[in-house]
Amino acid sequence: MPPTAAPVATGEIQTHGLKARLMVGMEVHVELATRSKMFSPAPNVAHPDFHDAEPNTLCDPIVLGMPGVLPVINKQAVEMAMLVGLALGCRIARMTKWDRKSYYYPDLPKNYQISQYDQPLCVDGAVEVPVTDEPDAPTHTVRIIRAHLEEDAGKLLHEAPGGTKIDHSIVDLNRAGTPLLEIVTHPDLDSPELVVSFAQLLRNTCRALGVSEGVMQRGHMRFEPNINVVIEKDGRTYKTPIVEIKNLNSFKALYAAVKFEFQRQIDEWLETGRVMGAGMKATRGWDDIDQVTVPQRQKEDAHDYRYFPDPDLVPVVVSDEWIASVKAHLPELPLQRQRRYVSELGLGVKDARALIEEREVCQFYERVLALGVDPRRAAAMLLNNGAKRANERGCLVSQLGITPPQIKGIVDLLQADKIGSTAADELFGLCCESPEPAEALAQKHGLLQVSDTAALEGYVDQVLANPKNAKIVEDLRGGKDKAIGALMGQIMKLSKGQANPKLVTELIKSRITGG
Amino acid sequence: MKTELFQSTLIGLRDAIAARAVSATEVTRAYLDRIERHDGLLHAYHEVYRQRALERAAAVDDGRVCGVLAGVPVAIKDNLCTEWGYTTCSSRILENYRSPYTATAVERLERAGAVILGKTNLDEFAMGSSTENCAFGPTRNPWDPQRVPGGSSGGSAAAVAADVCAGALGSDTGGSIRQPAALCGVVGLKPTYGRVSRFGLVAFASSLDQIGPFAHTVADAALLLQVISGPDPRDSTCADVPVPDYLRGVDEPVRGVRIGIAKQYLSDANDPAVAAAAERAVEVFRGAGAKVVEVDLPHTEYGIPTYYIVATAEASSNLARYDGVRYGYRAPQAEDLEDLYSSSRAEGFGDEVKRRIMLGTYALSSGYYDAYYVRALKVRRLIKRDFDAAFEKCDAILCPTTTGPAFRLGEKTDDPLAMYLNDVYTVNANLAGIPAISVPAGFAETSGPGGRKIRLPLGMQLLGPVFKEEALLRIARMCEAAVEWSSARPELVA
C-alpha cells in the first residue's frame, strides 16, 4: 500500500517558478463474477468456481465466435452492473443498447467486441471519496460519467505454460466473453493518493455488492488513469497532453504510475512546451521494474473502431420495477458502514475497516450483533481471538467453524465474570472445533472460574500463610495495592487458572485490611 | 418408387409414408438415386449425406422417429450449421469447416422427422443473385441448364424444382429465397424477421437474414414454416410470438381480401412476360372476389442503395471472424500476424464477398458513418413506414418477384450493379422485416439451342404485414389455386 493520509497534497507541485496541478480521470474495468459469460452460457473465469480452469476450457461456440452463433445477454450481469451504478449514484438508463467495436486481434474471437457506445446502462453518478483514513476525514467528490457493460477479450501468451519458450504466440480464451463493467470518471482526481483512495473505495464497493471478488492479481480490476497537468506560469495556464496509462492492476502500480507521470509531464512541458491539442492523446504502459511509464506502440490510423449497433441483440428496456427490485438488494456501502461502526458502535477506525474488508466477515459480524452482543466485545473477539486463528489456517474468521451464538456465549461468560480472557481465548478455540454451546464447552473443559468463596478463601489463606509472601503482605498493608498481582499469580496456579480474579482481589483486601 | 410420388406434393409424400403406402427408406433411396442421376449437371447439392439419410429413414420406418415431417426428404442451404458433414457457405475460407452444433431450424426439421438429404449450393456467404459466386462451381437452372437458378439460395430452389428433394430451406437477406424460387418455378417464403431463429445460420446481414422454406406448393411451404418457426432462447431477435397453425385454413380463400398494387412495382424495366403475368395475377384475384386497391410506396426506389449499405455494413463486421486464427482457411507460411490476416482473407474469400466487405467497412468508417449508415437506417424507417401505411389499405401487396426470367450463366457476372438490381423487388421486404412469398405465376418463352422452345418460370410476390404469414399463405394459395403452375415440372428431369 502506498502512503495515505499525506499531510501535503502531492497533486500540486511548485517548481521552476511554476505551479502544476494534477488532473486524473479514471477508466476502471471490473470483471463481474457472474456464473456464466456476458453473452454465452460458458462458465465465467471471474467466478470463484472457475478461477483455476485449464486454458481454453471455459469456451463454447459463442465464446469462440464460430459461424452462426448469436450472443444472448446475461441478465445477472446487467443486474450487477445496475447495482454498481446505483452504488455510484448513477442514473440507470431506461433503454440501453449494444454496439460492436471492431478491431482485429487474435484474443478477440469475433474481431469485434460487444460493448455499449452511446447509450450506456449507467450515467451521471458521483461518489464521495475520503481524502484520508480518518473517520471524519473530508471527502472529495468524484463524478462518474458512465458505467457500461462489455465483454472481455482472451489472453495472448508469448510463452508456453510453465515458461517454455515458443516461436509463436498462443491464445487462451478462458477470459474471452467475461462480463466487464467499465466505469469512467470525470478528471476530478487531483493527487495520486486520491486516485488510490478512489480505486480502493471502488474495490470495496464491488466486493460489498458481491459483484466481484476484487482479486487484483487475477485482474478482476484494472485501472487506466487518464492524466494531464495544468501548469500556471507567469499568469498563464497551460494544459499538457493527456496520457492514458493502460492496464494497471495493483494499487501500488497505480500510485507509482500516476506520481511518475505527473512529474514526467511537467518535465516534458518544460522541455518542449507541448500542450493539449486534438489527436494528441497518447497511450503509455507502466514498467514495474524500472518504475517508469513507457510509450506504447500506437497505430492511430488503425483506431477506427467502426462502432455500430449490434444487430444480433435487442436493446434492453429497464423498467422502474426492475430498478426498484435491484435497489432492494443494495446493501449498506462500505464507507457508510465503516462510519456507522465508528460513530454508532464505538469501534476504532482500524477495527471498523478490518471488519468491512471482507464481505463475509462483515456479514458474520452483523449476525453476531443481531444476537444482541456488545459490538466492541464482538469486534474484539473476531479481530483478536478470531483473526490469529484465521491467519494460521488461511481462511476467513467466518470460516473457522465458530458460530455467532457461540460468540455470544463467550461474551456472556466474560461479562458475567465466569471466565477470564485466557479462558475465553481457549474457549474460542474449542468452539471452532465443536458445535456445542460455549457454556457447555467451558464447563466440560473446566474453564469456568471458581467463584465459590469457601474454595477461594482456602487458596487465599494458603498463599497468605506462605512465609515467602511475608514481604508482599507487608507491602499490601502499607497500601501498595499493586502487590496483589504477585499473589494473584500464585492463586491462579493453585486454582489452575479458574479463580475469579475479582473475588480473589476482594478476599485478599478484606483479609489484609480487615483481618 | 413411382414417378407420381416425385410429382406429388411434400404433404402428399408425407401422407403416403404415414399410410405406409411407401417406406421412408424407399423414398429416401429414390431421391438419392435421382440426385445421383441429375445432380452432376445441376450441382444443386454441395454435399449429400447418403448414409446418414438412410439411417434416419430407417429410424422413421421402425418408429423411432416420428413427427409431421416423418420420412420427408429435404435439403438445406449450406449456410446452416450441422454437427455432421461440412458447413462451407460455398467459400474457400470454410472449405473444411465442421460445425460443433446444429442450427435451431435444422434441429426442428429433424425433430419433426424430416430426412435431410444434403446441403445445397449458394452464392458465397449468401452474397449474390445467381449462385455463380461459388467456390465449388455454380448451380444450373433445371428449366434451362444454360441459365442461373437465381440466388443466393439457388441450390435449394433448383433442388426443389428438379425434385431432388421434396422441400428445402434457404435464407433470404434481400431476396435470396424469393428470387430463385421465382426463377425456378417453385414457392419460396421469407418469413417475418424474428419468425424463425437465426441460431446456426451463418450470418450475412443479421438485421435482414431470415430462414425460410422452398416447396412446390403454398401448403407445403406452410407446413415447413410451421415446423421451423417460434421463439428460441438462443436468438434474442427471434420474437416471442405464438405460432398459429399455418396449414389449417390455408385452402380457404380470404373473403373480401384487399390486394394492393403499387405503381412503383410496375416499372418499364419489367419483361413483357412479367408484366403479363402480373396482369394475369391481378385478374385471378379479381375473379376470386378480391378488392384490388392502389397503394403508394414512395420510397421504393431507395431500397437498393439502402440495402447495399445496411447489408454490407453488417457483413463487413459479421465476416471479420474469418481470420485464419481459430478455424477455417489459414494462409500457409504467413510471415506475421498482419500477413496471416490479410493473406488468409485474400485467398479465402471470393471477389463478391471482398467487394461487400470493403463497401461495408467504408460505410461504417469514421467520417462516412453518418452520411451512409445512419442515413440508410433513416431511409429504412421510411420504407417500413410506407408499408405500414399501405397495409392500412390492403391485406397484401402483389408485385412481380423479379423483372424478368432467369438469365444466362455469366451474363451479369461482370456487372455487379446489374446483378444488384435483380433484388429491386425483393430487398424492401427485408428492410421492413415483413413476410413475403413468391409463387409460380407462368412462364416466359424463349428459344434455346437449335430453336428449341424453352419455358422459363416467373414468380409473383405477395407481401404482408409482420407476423401475418397465416393470411399471406391463404392469399398466396388463392393465386396458386387459380392457375396451378405448381404442378409444372421442368422437362429436363421429368
Side-chain angles (χ1 to χ4, degrees), chain B residues 115-304:
Chain B
V115 173
I116 292 165
L117 296 175
K119 288 223 181 123
T120 56
N121 200 13
L122 65 150
D123 285 299
E124 185 177 2
F125 284 101
M127 296 176 184
S129 309
S130 64
T131 317
E132 292 170 291
N133 305 328
C134 310
F136 317 108
T139 296
R140 291 169 184 273
N141 192 316
W143 293 87
D144 177 2
Q146 302 307 312
R147 290 172 191 266
V148 300
S152 66
S153 313
S156 289
V160 172
D163 289 310
V164 288
C165 65
L169 294 189
S171 66
D172 190 317
T173 307
S176 279
I177 289 175
R178 291 159 288 155
Q179 186 254 19
L183 303 192
C184 290
V186 298
V187 173
L189 169 66
K190 179 203 93 74
T192 305
Y193 184 78
R195 176 74 295 183
V196 180
S197 168
R198 294 184 295 115
F199 187 79
L201 167 66
V202 180
F204 160 13
S206 312
S207 75
L208 302 162
D209 293 343
Q210 194 63 193
I211 298 169
F214 287 94
H216 278 297
T217 71
V218 172
D220 291 348
L223 175 59
L224 289 172
L225 179 67
Q226 183 84 49
V227 168
I228 62 174
S229 292
D232 178 6
R234 293 179 296 183
D235 176 3
S236 359
T237 65
C238 190
D240 191 6
V241 172
V243 181
D245 186 340
Y246 291 124
L247 263 185
R248 198 185 58 196
V250 74
D251 286 331
E252 285 170 36
V254 180
R255 258 177 224 293
V257 66
R258 298 165 304 165
I259 299 295
I261 307 289
K263 60 173 180 285
Q264 286 85 0
Y265 285 110
L266 300 171
S267 79
D268 296 339
N270 288 346
D271 184 286
V274 170
E279 274 168 37
R280 207 160 45 228
V282 170
E283 286 318 306
V284 165
F285 278 111
R286 279 220 174 87
K291 199 173 149 207
V292 176
V293 297
E294 221 174 273
V295 293
D296 192 18
L297 300 169
H299 297 94
T300 297
E301 61 173 308
Y302 304 111
I304 288 282

Side-chain angles (χ1 to χ4, degrees), chain A residues 134-147:
Chain A
E134 296 310 307
D136 48 2
T139 58
H140 188 103
T141 305
V142 176
R143 291 166 301 153
I144 309 291
I145 297 174
R146 55 187 283 165

Side-chain angles (χ1 to χ4, degrees), chain A residues 61 64-72 100 104-106 109-112 299 304 306-309 311-314, chain B residues 81 97 101 198 200-201 206 233 235-237 317-318 320-323 326-327 337-338 341 345 361 365-366 369 373:
Chain A
L64 294 172
M66 305 296 265
V69 297
L70 296 170
V72 175
R100 294 183 182 178
Y104 278 80
Y105 207 62
K110 301 184 293 294
N111 288 318
Y112 62 79
K299 290 172 45 183
D304 181 359
R306 301 193 305 278
Y307 279 103
F308 80 107
D312 285 333
L313 290 164
V314 289
Chain B
C81 292
Y97 177 71
Y101 71 97
R198 294 184 295 115
L201 167 66
S206 312
D235 176 3
S236 359
T237 65
S317 167
N318 284 333
R321 67 190 62 194
Y322 307 106
D323 57 8
R326 295 165 313 285
Y327 52 77
L337 186 59
E338 289 290 328
Y341 284 152
R345 290 166 67 80
T361 304
S365 57
S366 98
Y369 181 81
Y373 186 74

